[in-house]
């Protein structure tokens, strides 16, 4: 009885597996067909033009021009040192 059941299950499994197998997939039929309107020389000329006229500055990266100042760096350092001495500016780890 057990052998008959196993044989029946094997026969059913073989029948279903034979119908479940698929053939080779043909992906070319699923791709859209495209026909360009320009020839190779036009596309190449556009690429050359784009490379020659490329803007190296990324969009939105404009930086403001440096401000002109009448104060020298030495005067700024002296003012900062005096402010530290007077306790107007924290220094070292006390600034944390």
């Amino acid at each position: 009885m057990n052998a008959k059941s196993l044989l029946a299950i094997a026969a059913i499994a073989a029948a279903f597996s034979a119908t479940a197998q698929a053939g080779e997939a043909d992906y070319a039929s699923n791709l859209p067909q495209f026909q360009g309107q320009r020839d190779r020389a036009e596309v190449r000329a556009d690429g050359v033009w784009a490379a020659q006229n490329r803007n190296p500055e990324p969009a939105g990266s404009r930086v403001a021009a440096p401000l002109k100042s009448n104060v020298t760096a030495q005067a700024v350092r002296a003012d900062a040192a005096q402010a530290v001495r007077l306790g107007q500016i924290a220094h070292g780890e006390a600034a944390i």
Side-chain angles (χ1 to χ4, degrees), residues 58 71 95:
V71 183

Side-chain angles (χ1 to χ4, degrees), residues 7-68:
L7 187 59
I9 292 173
I12 292 172
F16 281 120
S17 68
T19 59
Q21 293 179 358
E24 285 189 32
D26 184 18
Y27 296 110
S29 63
N30 296 335
L31 296 176
Q33 298 301 319
F34 177 76
Q35 182 64 34
Q37 301 298 324
R38 301 186 323 164
D39 61 352
R40 186 182 197 99
E42 288 179 48
V43 174
R44 184 175 289 238
D46 281 351
V48 169
W49 180 87
Q52 290 173 347
N53 296 319
R54 184 180 75 86
N55 186 2
E57 177 182 298
S61 68
R62 300 222 172 214
V63 178
L67 300 173
K68 299 294 181 186

